Amino acid sequence: MKKLLLIGITGAVGAMTRVSIGEWIPLVSGFPIGTLFVNLVGTFLLCYVITGAFVKLNVIKEFQDIIAVGFLGSFTTFSALSMETILLIENGQGFLAISYITLSIIGGVSAGLFGNFLGRKLVRT
């Protein structure tokens, strides 16, 4: 029960952080840069902490879940990516919608690979 409560609290903090960053980084020509930024940074951090920091620091599973599922799980958001893509399409901005999806997927996998690489390097040091 305590673990679920802590995941809920860190999830709320992650969601508030995501919204704050989204408001801080404005739309540029209708392009949702804030969500893209949050998703790329969140993916990097998730891969980095799972493959590196948690291993190096020998972090207990419960704390890993609190950070990975709670904070980072609610910090990044596939639903916002989907909704913003739909809004771009509805507003006749098909090119931006395709660009957004492409940057999100390729950028996300690239950020994840980079985080994974750095995390594994951290473990080896």
Side-chain angles (χ1 to χ4, degrees):
M1 185 64 160
K2 180 181 174 184
K3 176 180 156 182
L4 289 177
L5 179 61
L6 290 172
I7 288 173
I9 291 168
T10 56
V13 172
M16 290 185 292
T17 304
R18 174 176 45 86
V19 170
S20 297
I21 291 172
E23 291 176 355
W24 178 64
I25 301 174
L27 294 174
V28 175
S29 300
F31 193 84
I33 292 175
T35 303
L36 177 64
F37 174 80
V38 163
N39 284 338
L40 296 180
V41 169
T43 300
F44 168 81
L45 289 173
L46 182 63
C47 292
Y48 178 77
V49 298
I50 285 176
T51 61
F54 289 163
V55 174
K56 180 80 171 184
L57 300 173
N58 198 25
V59 175
I60 61 172
K61 176 75 170 111
E62 288 77 17
F63 186 74
Q64 290 180 28
D65 290 344
I66 290 165
I67 298 302
V69 176
F71 181 80
L72 291 172
S74 63
F75 179 66
T76 60
T77 174
F78 186 77
S79 58
L81 166 89
S82 301
M83 187 65 221
E84 289 167 343
T85 301
I86 291 167
L87 291 173
L88 288 170
I89 292 167
E90 287 179 348
N91 290 328
Q93 297 175 298
F95 178 76
L96 284 181
I98 291 169
S99 298
Y100 184 40
I101 291 168
T102 303
L103 286 170
S104 294
I105 293 171
I106 293 173
V109 171
S110 297
L113 286 170
F114 186 56
N116 189 21
F117 169 78
L118 290 181
R120 291 193 187 284
K121 192 171 186 166
L122 175 69
V123 172
R124 286 188 222 125
T125 59

